[in-house]
Amino acid sequence: MPRSSLPLPAHHPWCAIIPPYVLEALSQSGDPEVERRARATLQHDEAMRADRRTDPSVRIGEPTLTAVEQHAAAPRSTEAPSRAIHDCATSRTLPGTLVRAEGEKPTKDAAANEAYDGLGDTWTLFKEAFDRNSLDDRGLAMVASVHYGTGYDNAFWNGSQMVFGDGDGEIFLGFTRSIDVIGHELAHGVTQYTAGLNYEGQSGALNESISDVFGSLVKQHAADQSAAAADWLIGADLLAPGVKGRALRDMHHPGTAYDDPRLGKDPQPAHMDDFVETTADNGGVHINSGIPNRAFVLAALELGGNAWESVGQVWYDVLTGDIKADCDFATFAALTIAAAKAVDAETHTAVSNAWQGVGVDPAKARTPRARKRPTRTGAPNKNAKVVVRRTGGLAGQVLQREVLLRELPTDDCEQWQALVATRALERASLEQTRTHPDAFTYEVDVPSRGVQVAIPEVGLSDDQRTLMDRTLLPPRE
Ligand SMILES: [Zn+2]
């Protein structure tokens, strides 16, 4: 199979479970060993973030696939999980040595088994509750690596696989211990393949909240636990003995999860009145997620029963439906209220009350745009319509052209087909969420494929940008 025809997973900004502000607090905790490890994790995390921001966009026709991505992209015929757990043995080279493949017996390593089981429980929730076959709904293989680094205080999703550290042992224990943390990281993969919420500001906080919601639902579903019985905690098993706290986050009572001399105090707001304006942590994505988290819990408790059968369905419908990557809280509230209305009056009331309870006003939702059709994989045919728009720029000039692919020169037609088939545009729009002042923004709609993206020009490769410019302003005969 030519490399260019492999379905390329859309990339995602690097997402970690421990927010930078916690690591900052730890790096000044007064305990030299904790400080050293926290600083090492911070440095590593910053390097990873920078890496993902500067990662060059996929060149047309030659997507770069890592071994993990190639494994993950291989088509599956059956609807069953396909897991591969690797051991980094304290190195930072991914994915490490394969220690447990799908269907194999447990190993002697608790972390590998916890990861294997957590990946399975996540797959099962999405399959049984939402009829979704893995993160991409196409049976994507689930790859994880354990024992990443030495004393590494984090777990993250790197756009194609899960990575778990062992923790420093004094503040954090191993990151595979909490099933909701595993579900949280994998849910970043689901968001990546669906709504593609920008990992910054309010859309980033929604991205984080959705990971907490589905992470908690993985735990509740595996334990067959009702909303009333659930603890709504994220990472309760990660905190080492002696740490003053219950978990990393408390979805029901944001801001109360911990208050520890070394960790600091849980900074999450529970209400829009306390929304935190900050440039740190990608605009407070792990902080303000407390607000939509609490909205979800309030609705789930009002409806009772199993949350994955009630409000979980509403959130899932919105995540996989008519939602834009830059969705804000008010728009998300309006979307969930509309989806709840389609269920029944009781659900509608519960979801409306929940948003009111956290001070998010759905009336402030941005004007809904045309309904987004789900992205379909594969190349568009030559009769497909492409709409290219270039906005922004110092002069504020708007250029737009609507064209059928067959009307373009053959080379350009093929480049567009490859660009859509490899999902390079979605990838670029996810990676590059910052707009530079006066830079152009390119918008592309391919209605037949459900593609509707906006990408700052710095997020495009030279090939991609010149293709768009040629399409917008065809050379004169
Ligand atoms: Zn996250």
Side-chain angles (χ1 to χ4, degrees), residues 5-187:
S5 62
L6 283 167
L8 186 76
H11 270 246
H12 192 275
W14 184 82
C15 294
I17 191 86
I18 301 290
Y21 58 81
V22 171
L23 294 167
E24 295 281 4
L26 286 177
S27 70
Q28 293 157 28
S29 65
D31 178 328
E33 182 56 12
V34 169
E35 287 186 2
R36 190 186 63 74
R37 292 214 162 122
R39 271 197 298 271
T41 303
L42 264 174
Q43 274 167 12
H44 167 269
D45 292 3
E46 269 158 27
M48 292 286 282
R49 284 194 186 87
D51 228 31
R52 298 215 66 77
R53 276 200 292 268
T54 55
D55 187 20
S57 297
V58 175
R59 298 282 160 162
I60 294 164
E62 45 174 37
T64 46
L65 288 178
T66 64
V68 169
E69 286 169 339
Q70 288 189 33
H71 173 61
R76 316 273 148 204
S77 52
T78 52
E79 293 224 340
S82 171
R83 288 165 283 183
I85 312 299
H86 301 76
D87 187 347
C88 289
T90 74
S91 91
R92 292 185 181 221
T93 307
L94 293 172
T97 311
L98 180 66
V99 289
R100 191 171 173 195
E102 186 60 46
E104 288 182 3
K105 287 199 293 263
T107 70
K108 290 195 174 100
D109 177 19
N113 296 330
E114 284 164 357
Y116 184 89
D117 292 343
L119 263 55
D121 288 336
T122 304
W123 188 90
T124 302
L125 167 79
F126 279 102
K127 184 65 203 158
E128 291 184 356
F130 309 113
D131 195 27
R132 184 175 190 86
N133 181 14
S134 192
L135 312 186
D136 63 347
D137 201 18
R138 297 176 67 234
L140 185 80
M142 300 162 93
V143 181
S145 298
V146 296
H147 304 305
Y148 177 80
T150 305
Y152 182 67
D153 267 343
N154 219 343
F156 63 92
W157 163 255
N158 80 345
S160 55
Q161 73 153 93
M162 301 266 341
V163 182
F164 299 97
D166 292 325
D168 55 63
E170 289 181 50
I171 306 285
F172 294 115
L173 305 174
F175 280 77
T176 48
R177 291 169 56 94
S178 279
I179 179 178
D180 42 89
V181 167
I182 299 177
H184 173 106
E185 296 303 336
L186 290 166

Side-chain angles (χ1 to χ4, degrees), residues 25 27 265 276 449:
S27 70
K265 186 182 179 316
V276 179
R449 294 283 121 190

